Amino acid sequence: MDLYEHQGKELLGCMGVPVPAGRVAFSVDEAAAAAEELGGPVVVKAQVHTGGRGKAGGIRVVDDAAGASRAAADILGMDIKGHTVGRVYVEEASDIARELYAAVVLDRAEKRPLAMLSSMGGMDVEEIAREHPGAIARVHIDPLLGWSDYLGRRLAFESGLAADLGPAVSEVMARLYEAFVIYEATLVEVNPLAVLADGRVVALDCKLTADDNALFRHADIAGMRDVSAADPQEQMARDRGVTYVKLDGDVGVLGNGAGLVMSTLDVVANAGGRPANFLDVGGGAKAEEIVQALEVITSDPKVRVIFFNIFGGITRCDEVARGILTAVDQLRITLPIVVRLDGTNQEEGRSLIAEAGLQNVYSEPTMTAAAERAVALAGA
Amino acid sequence: MDLYEHQGKELLGCMGVPVPAGRVAFSVDEAAAAAEELGGPVVVKAQVHTGGRGKAGGIRVVDDAAGASRAAADILGMDIKGHTVGRVYVEEASDIARELYAAVVLDRAEKRPLAMLSSMGGMDVEEIAREHPGAIARVHIDPLLGWSDYLGRRLAFESGLAADLGPAVSEVMARLYEAFVIYEATLVEVNPLAVLADGRVVALDCKLTADDNALFRHADIAGMRDVSAADPQEQMARDRGVTYVKLDGDVGVLGNGAGLVMSTLDVVANAGGRPANFLDVGGGAKAEEIVQALEVITSDPKVRVIFFNIFGGITRCDEVARGILTAVDQLRITLPIVVRLDGTNQEEGRSLIAEAGLQNVYSEPTMTAAAERAVALAGA
Amino acid sequence: MAILIDENSRVVVQGITGREGSFHALRNRDYGTRVVAGVTPGKGGQQVEGIPVFDTVREAVAGEGVDTSLIFVPARFAADAMYEAIDAGVGVVVTITEGIPVHDMLRAYHHARARGVTLIGPNCPGLISPGRANVGIIPTSVFKQGGVGLVSRSGTLTYQIAHELTRRGIGQSTAVGIGGDPIVGSSFIDVLERFGADEQTEAVVLVGEIGGSEEEAAAGWAQEHLDKPVVAYVAGFTAPPGKQMGHAGAIISGSAGTAQAKQQALEAAGIRVGKDPDEVGDLVAEVLR
Amino acid sequence: MAILIDENSRVVVQGITGREGSFHALRNRDYGTRVVAGVTPGKGGQQVEGIPVFDTVREAVAGEGVDTSLIFVPARFAADAMYEAIDAGVGVVVTITEGIPVHDMLRAYHHARARGVTLIGPNCPGLISPGRANVGIIPTSVFKQGGVGLVSRSGTLTYQIAHELTRRGIGQSTAVGIGGDPIVGSSFIDVLERFGADEQTEAVVLVGEIGGSEEEAAAGWAQEHLDKPVVAYVAGFTAPPGKQMGHAGAIISGSAGTAQAKQQALEAAGIRVGKDPDEVGDLVAEVLR
């Protein structure tokens, strides 16, 4: 789960990372009030789960509440890469002397957290890595031992910041790692980490990605989810506990297991079709979950055929078959459904489908044959 | 550093271990006020750094403030195994159904913390171990991984407490381990851990030993030291940064390194003498530290001779010699001093002593010869 | 002789009295696996269709000499279950549970490695050595004993690929579902290394998916260290960039981690990549010829 | 060939610009030890009498190929210094610093073990392989090269015993001060194991003191695994029970941990125990005859 800048900064502040004072605002009036309260010049920043908001005009420095009001009026409702701006962050303006880059990220390949520090902040990290190879100091952290001060010293020395900023940046890195662990994040990125004219080192932006699987331990973070920003169908899927990603085509795809569903998308594409979505019912889906999953798929008007690809392990084919039959009945589905059932209790599942004798439900023995049938039906 | 029961309970309470309400009192009036405030029957308990206070009459259950006042009057000033009671703990009385034993201790041999739980609380743990072998469940904790719930389950099952008390005792053990780590203790012992008539599990006593070397990170615990309870000479030694233990004899012993000083005590005893103290100036002592160490030794009127046994590594013999000469001069020491210097800068050290030509300072080449000379001088 | 599990493995099922735990414990036993114990705290002394249940893994090890654990406990308790198994001396710990917090797995991974314990999973279907033992939730009907080692990040794709092999008459030595999470206990390379040393295994099928760089690493490793033919499959060519596809593991970031990049890396290492599970079956048949 | 350090060891001194650090770095170099680098954060690029100073241990390893570290940093920073050395790939880490929190050492101990790094100390004098190398604060004048391995929990007693050996003409292979703290990086047994495998070492002297049960454990181990003669010394027969004698390690608890108990355990294992350092010298001369 990605957090907004203002949410991430709130969390970093609790961990002792210096952040400028700021207020979130959902309306022009709130933005003006926030600027009034903060006093002096402020920055009004679009809060969106994507980068590039600066270039898109989503960041404005203004002198006072009136300016903040005008800026918020421009920014709220703005579309930035497909994200509608629903809130702005009004933050005291900072007198920036220098911009650094700092992050702690989960390194999957090394299976350890990786802390990074660079004297070249402000720009995209991929850009730094590409244009200034060697400008990013990196240290891996042993997750059992945790942070130790020498890691901060190494980052400071290797990024060339030790001479004047050593203690300050070492301390920030230690706090960022603590935030990474305490909040169970997979990414904590501060870009820029700014050195101000008065010498203070503060986080001017924050990108924090929390582990969805750990939210049960973090009610505060779970509560930060912006349900208004989610795609309504994806939200519907989330409420029903299935993983759903909307795509462009007309073949609704449903399977069990991310790998199989991805493979199904590929096979549909290979057969000349265009998948309408990715929907993984996960392991061990029960009949009622199948019904709910079909409810999500059929809510997309572009879907012309539904392709059910199940290879049962923990999922039982008879449960899936029961779910399909119930859904067709309850939801009055008239779209063609191509079903391929293999694995645990496959005989029972296939028999249930066959015995029901529904006109719009087609059984196919193989994945490739089923894909071809689905694509043909979509074109019909 | 050993903490008093009330101090240990304050720390455990902060970690979420249930403890009864209580107040510390340094006078009869404070004890009465504490009882008044708590209301109902209370226990008045002597606070001393030793066991066996119950048998010594240091624990009294009373009905009200008047009773607390009488009990405090009896207990304050009481001598328990050489410790004068300077404070009592007034605690709400508990309706005890059952007494358990719980502890987390540093297991030096295994180099890991050891958590212990027993259904046989109230008595001394050595006694439980002796009389009911197998009645103490034990689990070691990996210090890098920390506590995990299965350890609490194992303790609960293996101590036979799982059926009715499993979750409660598991939770207490987890909290005790957390206290052990957070406070950097070498021992956290709760005996008894009481099951009350209403089913609650509470810590009725607490023995917590904090690591002296870690007190720089724990100002709160360092501030709990009861300077009034320390032996004045030992306190003087502590203030001067040397390790001093008072013994019964008349040969003052001073050396560098605990092993060498202990060996020196043994050699003095082998030569027929009786050491007056153990004093370790530690590694790298400077001249002024030697002066301060001699100040501590000579403050003991029983000392008739001083035996200086130095084998220099990080300690330099010339520094020690300078310290001796300065001390003899500044403190006007007339007692005989037997000096044996070997190791780093031994020549310079011996020369300094020889050149000073002091009548009461004797150089000896070996430890055994020096011990014999010191014992002879003590008898002279 | 297959890898990791065989007819001599003595398995404890942690969470055996749960719905999935009991269902699969019995399925695994029906297959011939020695499922000799179960653990559910508080249910020690009971039995699940003749399988003795213990309160702790330690007791199960002491009582039944188990060397392999199969974990079905809920995500929030799963790391603790792994630690319990490791501490009790179990050598192979297979975790089916999905949704385990990644920081839990970071710690469990390093803890297990330091102790020389093999973790399989989490968020995986387990593993099967056809004709010998099945430890997990893999449907056995599509497998048959033979010479192909199968290793996969995806559960259902494992079955699909095995199905393609079996219907061509090609059997498997062991099929290992390593799991789709960002941090799993055993990597492709860990499993390839074992297949390399296994006499029964003549060829290997590697089933990858978008996200991470495991496939790329495995390609390089296999080229240098493995002298058995490898065929691969990668799922997710049509997955849209920047979207999370079910597994936390299947996140595309820029160009690295794409199915295309993985296919290129594999082919550059001399590994043939099938365009769908069907073609994978054909390619394996070819390399075995 | 001595143990742990010899004439080929390449030593970095962490905390080299401090008073003790520079003093002993130069003393050790004067003895012939290859003290090739120092580390003090912020002083990289300086020199201490020709020894290059680096900001980090990693740079010292890269620049000078060090394999051994000698740590003089203050107690509160000492664990961090150990972690830095371990992470940089140093194989032997010798910590002189006393007063390190015991919880720091608990973690450092297990971290080092998991990585196969040998920690010596803390609160120790270091170690010397006479005629080859001296890494620590041991006064060299009382040592001479020879066949006796010496291992001790006490610094000054190490010198005292070596002195007794040397003045009898008996040289030493290596003398290791393992340190007097409750948790030290290497135990008696760890060092005895190395002496057992060392060709230069013909006999071993073990110097113990009250507290803990290390001597008892070492006695049992030596009886079973060491086929070289062992002579022991134990300090603290006259130490009063229940008092802490300087070292946190020297705490008497009940009867276990007393000098008497240790002497009994050692003698029961066939190890002769001298009543004072002088007699230890005589006993060693006897076993070598």
Side-chain angles (χ1 to χ4, degrees):
Chain A
M1 170 184 165
D2 291 331
L3 300 194
Y4 287 121
E5 173 197 5
H6 74 92
Q7 296 167 331
K9 280 184 172 170
E10 185 187 327
L11 296 179
L12 289 191
C14 294
M15 280 297 118
V17 179
V19 289
R23 306 276 182 280
V24 67
F26 295 87
S27 67
V28 170
D29 287 351
E30 282 178 23
E36 193 66 50
E37 202 187 336
L38 291 167
V42 296
V43 193
V44 180
K45 299 193 266 189
Q47 300 295 288
V48 277
H49 293 312
T50 186
R53 60 188 172 156
K55 284 182 193 156
I59 299 182
R60 291 254 296 272
V61 185
V62 297
D63 285 331
D64 52 21
S69 178
R70 284 189 300 274
D74 292 347
I75 296 172
L76 284 166
M78 186 181 266
D79 180 283
I80 301 180
K81 295 185 184 169
H83 297 257
T84 306
V85 180
R87 58 180 82 181
V88 293
Y89 191 45
V90 183
E91 189 178 69
E92 58 176 15
S94 295
D95 188 358
I96 303 169
R98 197 168 169 193
E99 295 189 330
L100 317 176
Y101 173 89
V104 180
V105 57
L106 176 67
D107 184 338
R108 289 174 53 163
E110 285 285 324
K111 295 182 164 69
R112 287 184 293 171
L114 173 70
M116 298 188 279
L117 178 65
S118 175
S119 61
M120 326 218 33
M123 57 178 140
D124 194 58
V125 65
E126 277 89 6
E127 199 183 329
I128 310 175
R130 195 170 54 239
E131 300 188 6
H132 307 276
I136 304 172
R138 298 154 199 255
V139 297
H140 281 101
I141 298 101
D142 179 325
L144 293 176
L145 191 61
W147 190 261
S148 200
D149 290 339
Y150 79 93
L151 295 165
R153 289 198 303 274
R154 264 192 58 198
L155 286 173
F157 282 112
E158 293 176 13
S159 61
L161 296 168
D164 38 352
L165 295 168
V169 295
S170 296
E171 179 64 19
V172 166
M173 295 311 301
R175 299 275 73 78
L176 290 183
Y177 182 73
E178 195 176 351
F180 180 82
V181 172
I182 296 271
Y183 299 130
E184 302 196 57
T186 54
L187 170 71
V188 179
E189 188 181 58
V190 174
N191 189 17
L193 175 68
V195 184
L196 303 188
D198 61 10
R200 284 182 301 143
V201 174
V202 301
L204 281 201
D205 194 2
C206 173
K207 200 180 273 181
L208 196 152
T209 306
D211 177 9
D212 286 329
N213 288 338
L215 291 180
F216 71 88
R217 286 194 282 241
H218 304 278
D220 49 340
I221 300 175
M224 290 178 175
R225 192 184 293 282
D226 181 7
V227 287
S228 72
D231 173 271
Q233 274 179 317
E234 293 188 2
Q235 184 57 40
M236 184 179 179
R238 191 197 313 282
D239 293 343
R240 283 160 177 69
V242 297
T243 309
Y244 174 88
V245 180
K246 196 171 175 178
L247 303 172
D248 283 339
D250 52 12
V251 179
V253 171
L254 185 154
N256 61 321
L260 184 66
V261 181
M262 280 190 286
S263 178
T264 309
L265 301 185
D266 293 348
V267 172
V268 167
N270 291 345
R274 297 182 60 221
N277 66 274
F278 169 106
L279 194 152
D280 175 11
V281 293
K286 301 293 167 306
E288 63 265 38
E289 289 165 275
I290 299 294
V291 176
Q292 294 187 328
L294 276 170
E295 214 175 335
V296 174
I297 291 188
T298 53
S299 71
D300 176 0
K302 290 172 77 177
V303 170
R304 301 194 54 184
V305 58
I306 299 166
F307 176 7
F308 245 90
N309 191 13
I310 299 292
F311 211 117
I314 204 166
T315 307
R316 305 183 202 174
C317 292
D318 55 329
E319 281 284 339
V320 174
R322 254 187 290 276
I324 295 172
L325 299 176
T326 309
V328 169
D329 182 42
Q330 278 184 7
L331 308 176
R332 297 199 180 82
I333 300 175
T334 53
L335 290 172
I337 301 177
V338 181
V339 180
R340 180 271 190 152
L341 296 175
D342 257 320
T344 307
N345 297 359
Q346 60 190 33
E347 303 310 336
E348 296 92 317
R350 291 176 191 166
S351 304
L352 283 168
I353 297 285
E355 284 160 16
L358 294 175
Q359 292 235 322
N360 61 330
V361 179
Y362 305 81
S363 260
E364 286 291 344
T366 73
M367 189 163 154
T368 314
E372 282 161 4
R373 165 79 74 129
V375 172
L377 287 165
Chain B
M1 172 182 163
D2 291 332
L3 300 193
Y4 288 120
E5 174 196 5
H6 75 93
Q7 296 168 331
K9 280 183 172 169
E10 185 187 328
L11 296 179
L12 289 191
C14 295
M15 280 297 118
V17 179
V19 290
R23 305 278 183 278
V24 66
F26 296 87
S27 69
V28 171
D29 287 353
E30 282 177 21
E36 193 68 50
E37 202 187 335
L38 291 167
V42 296
V43 193
V44 180
K45 298 193 265 189
Q47 299 295 288
V48 277
H49 293 312
T50 186
R53 60 188 172 157
K55 283 182 193 156
I59 300 180
R60 292 253 297 273
V61 184
V62 297
D63 285 330
D64 51 21
S69 178
R70 285 190 299 273
D74 291 347
I75 294 172
L76 284 165
M78 187 182 266
D79 180 284
I80 299 179
K81 295 185 185 170
H83 297 256
T84 307
V85 180
R87 60 180 80 183
V88 293
Y89 191 46
V90 182
E91 189 179 69
E92 60 176 13
S94 294
D95 190 358
I96 304 168
R98 197 169 170 193
E99 294 188 330
L100 318 176
Y101 173 90
V104 181
V105 58
L106 176 67
D107 185 339
R108 289 176 51 163
E110 286 284 326
K111 296 181 164 67
R112 286 184 294 170
L114 174 70
M116 298 188 278
L117 179 65
S118 174
S119 61
M120 328 221 28
M123 57 176 142
D124 193 60
V125 65
E126 277 88 6
E127 199 182 330
I128 309 174
R130 198 171 51 240
E131 299 187 7
H132 306 277
I136 305 173
R138 298 155 200 255
V139 297
H140 281 101
I141 298 102
D142 179 324
L144 293 176
L145 190 61
W147 190 263
S148 199
D149 290 339
Y150 80 92
L151 294 165
R153 290 199 302 274
R154 264 193 58 198
L155 286 171
F157 282 112
E158 293 176 14
S159 61
L161 295 168
D164 36 355
L165 295 168
V169 296
S170 296
E171 178 63 18
V172 166
M173 295 312 300
R175 299 276 74 76
L176 290 183
Y177 182 73
E178 194 175 354
F180 180 82
V181 172
I182 295 271
Y183 300 129
E184 302 196 59
T186 54
L187 171 70
V188 178
E189 188 181 58
V190 175
N191 189 19
L193 176 68
V195 184
L196 303 188
D198 62 10
R200 283 182 301 143
V201 174
V202 300
L204 281 199
D205 195 1
C206 173
K207 200 180 272 181
L208 196 151
T209 305
D211 178 8
D212 286 328
N213 287 338
L215 291 181
F216 71 88
R217 285 194 282 242
H218 303 279
D220 51 339
I221 299 176
M224 290 179 174
R225 192 183 293 283
D226 181 6
V227 286
S228 72
D231 173 89
Q233 275 179 318
E234 293 187 3
Q235 184 57 41
M236 185 180 177
R238 190 197 313 279
D239 292 342
R240 283 161 176 70
V242 297
T243 309
Y244 174 88
V245 179
K246 196 170 175 179
L247 303 172
D248 282 338
D250 51 13
V251 179
V253 171
L254 184 155
N256 61 320
L260 184 66
V261 181
M262 280 191 284
S263 178
T264 310
L265 301 184
D266 293 348
V267 172
V268 167
N270 290 347
R274 298 182 61 221
N277 66 275
F278 168 107
L279 193 152
D280 175 12
V281 293
K286 303 291 169 306
E288 62 266 40
E289 289 165 277
I290 299 294
V291 176
Q292 295 186 330
L294 276 170
E295 214 175 337
V296 174
I297 290 189
T298 54
S299 72
D300 177 359
K302 290 171 78 177
V303 170
R304 300 196 54 187
V305 59
I306 298 165
F307 178 4
F308 244 89
N309 193 12
I310 299 293
F311 212 117
I314 204 165
T315 307
R316 306 183 199 174
C317 292
D318 56 329
E319 281 285 339
V320 173
R322 255 188 288 278
I324 295 172
L325 298 176
T326 309
V328 169
D329 181 43
Q330 277 184 7
L331 309 176
R332 299 200 179 78
I333 300 174
T334 53
L335 290 171
I337 302 177
V338 182
V339 180
R340 180 271 188 150
L341 297 175
D342 258 321
T344 307
N345 297 0
Q346 59 189 30
E347 303 309 335
E348 297 91 317
R350 290 176 193 165
S351 301
L352 283 168
I353 297 286
E355 283 158 17
L358 294 175
Q359 290 236 322
N360 60 332
V361 179
Y362 306 80
S363 259
E364 286 290 347
T366 72
M367 189 164 154
T368 315
E372 281 160 5
R373 166 78 77 127
V375 171
L377 287 165
Chain C
M1 258 308 289
I3 65 166
L4 291 162
I5 56 162
D6 61 26
E7 56 272 35
N8 299 314
S9 299
R10 297 180 67 81
V11 180
V12 60
V13 175
Q14 292 179 251
I16 194 169
T17 58
R19 188 158 175 278
E20 300 299 338
S22 61
F23 177 77
H24 292 286
L26 298 174
R27 271 188 69 247
N28 289 346
R29 188 177 64 173
D30 289 346
Y31 190 67
T33 316
R34 295 189 183 204
V35 179
V36 296
V39 167
T40 298
K43 305 211 170 162
Q46 299 186 8
Q47 297 209 332
V48 170
E49 309 266 329
I51 303 170
V53 179
F54 298 89
D55 289 317
T56 66
V57 178
R58 198 179 173 84
E59 290 172 299
V61 169
E64 302 294 337
V66 306
D67 52 25
T68 304
S69 173
L70 175 60
I71 295 180
F72 279 103
V73 309
R76 63 183 69 187
F77 308 119
D80 181 64
M82 289 183 228
Y83 297 144
E84 182 175 3
I86 293 166
D87 194 6
V90 174
V92 177
V93 179
V94 182
T95 306
I96 306 304
T97 312
E98 64 181 312
I100 298 178
V102 71
H103 282 258
D104 283 3
M105 277 314 300
L106 267 179
R107 297 164 59 80
Y109 175 85
H110 289 276
H111 183 69
R113 288 273 149 157
R115 274 158 189 69
V117 171
T118 300
L119 292 186
I120 301 288
N123 191 11
C124 83
L127 66 171
I128 181 170
S129 294
R132 304 178 188 279
N134 184 28
V135 176
I137 61 173
I138 292 178
T140 58
S141 60
V142 295
F143 290 84
K144 74 171 242 176
Q145 195 164 338
V148 173
L150 179 53
V151 57
S152 171
R153 278 168 67 190
S154 156
T156 38
L157 268 180
T158 309
Y159 321 151
Q160 183 63 47
I161 301 280
H163 182 59
E164 299 297 341
L165 296 176
T166 298
R167 69 191 185 88
R168 284 170 176 79
I170 303 166
Q172 303 89 37
S173 53
T174 303
V176 184
I178 59 173
D181 278 358
I183 306 291
V184 291
S186 291
S187 66
F188 278 134
I189 293 175
D190 295 326
V191 178
L192 289 181
E193 205 166 352
R194 290 181 186 268
F195 280 136
D198 176 46
E199 286 185 17
Q200 185 182 334
T201 304
E202 298 159 43
V204 178
V205 177
L206 184 152
V207 183
E209 61 185 33
I210 50 171
S213 56
E214 272 258 23
E215 290 79 3
E216 289 87 331
W221 187 90
Q223 187 172 27
E224 253 186 82
H225 300 100
L226 193 64
D227 55 359
K228 297 179 181 180
V230 181
V231 170
Y233 177 68
V234 179
F237 281 84
T238 47
K243 284 284 191 179
Q244 187 167 330
M245 292 287 167
H247 289 178
I251 300 170
I252 303 185
S253 59
S255 66
T258 62
Q260 284 79 358
K262 290 172 190 300
Q263 179 173 16
Q264 277 166 21
L266 289 159
E267 290 181 342
I271 295 170
R272 296 176 71 181
V273 182
K275 77 171 197 309
D276 58 28
D278 203 24
E279 196 182 83
V280 171
D282 292 341
L283 291 174
V284 175
E286 228 172 89
V287 302
L288 285 177
R289 215 169 279 147
Chain D
M1 259 311 287
I3 65 166
L4 291 161
I5 56 162
D6 61 25
E7 56 274 34
N8 299 315
S9 299
R10 297 181 67 82
V11 180
V12 59
V13 175
Q14 292 179 252
I16 195 169
T17 57
R19 190 160 173 278
E20 300 299 338
S22 61
F23 178 76
H24 292 288
L26 297 175
R27 271 189 68 247
N28 288 347
R29 188 177 64 172
D30 290 345
Y31 190 68
T33 316
R34 296 190 183 203
V35 179
V36 296
V39 167
T40 297
K43 304 211 170 164
Q46 301 186 7
Q47 296 208 334
V48 171
E49 308 265 329
I51 302 170
V53 179
F54 297 90
D55 289 317
T56 66
V57 179
R58 198 178 171 86
E59 290 173 300
V61 168
E64 302 294 335
V66 307
D67 52 24
T68 304
S69 172
L70 175 59
I71 295 180
F72 279 103
V73 309
R76 65 183 67 189
F77 308 119
D80 180 63
M82 290 182 227
Y83 297 144
E84 182 176 3
I86 293 165
D87 194 7
V90 174
V92 176
V93 179
V94 182
T95 306
I96 307 303
T97 312
E98 65 180 314
I100 299 177
V102 70
H103 281 258
D104 283 3
M105 278 312 302
L106 268 178
R107 297 164 60 81
Y109 175 86
H110 289 276
H111 182 69
R113 287 274 148 158
R115 273 156 189 69
V117 172
T118 299
L119 291 187
I120 301 290
N123 191 10
C124 84
L127 67 170
I128 182 171
S129 295
R132 303 179 188 278
N134 184 28
V135 177
I137 61 171
I138 292 178
T140 59
S141 60
V142 296
F143 289 83
K144 73 170 242 175
Q145 194 165 339
V148 173
L150 179 53
V151 58
S152 169
R153 276 168 66 190
S154 157
T156 39
L157 267 180
T158 309
Y159 320 151
Q160 184 63 47
I161 301 279
H163 182 59
E164 299 296 341
L165 297 175
T166 298
R167 70 190 184 90
R168 283 169 176 80
I170 303 166
Q172 303 89 38
S173 54
T174 303
V176 184
I178 59 172
D181 277 359
I183 305 292
V184 291
S186 291
S187 68
F188 279 135
I189 293 174
D190 294 326
V191 178
L192 290 180
E193 206 166 350
R194 289 182 185 267
F195 280 137
D198 176 45
E199 285 186 16
Q200 186 182 335
T201 304
E202 299 159 42
V204 178
V205 178
L206 184 153
V207 182
E209 62 184 33
I210 51 171
S213 56
E214 271 256 22
E215 291 79 3
E216 290 87 331
W221 186 89
Q223 188 171 28
E224 254 186 80
H225 300 100
L226 192 64
D227 56 359
K228 297 178 182 182
V230 181
V231 170
Y233 176 68
V234 180
F237 281 85
T238 47
K243 285 284 189 178
Q244 186 167 329
M245 293 286 168
H247 289 177
I251 299 169
I252 302 185
S253 62
S255 66
T258 63
Q260 285 81 359
K262 290 171 190 300
Q263 180 174 17
Q264 279 166 21
L266 288 160
E267 290 180 344
I271 295 169
R272 296 175 72 182
V273 182
K275 77 172 195 309
D276 57 29
D278 203 24
E279 196 181 84
V280 171
D282 292 342
L283 292 173
V284 174
E286 229 171 88
V287 302
L288 286 177
R289 215 167 279 149

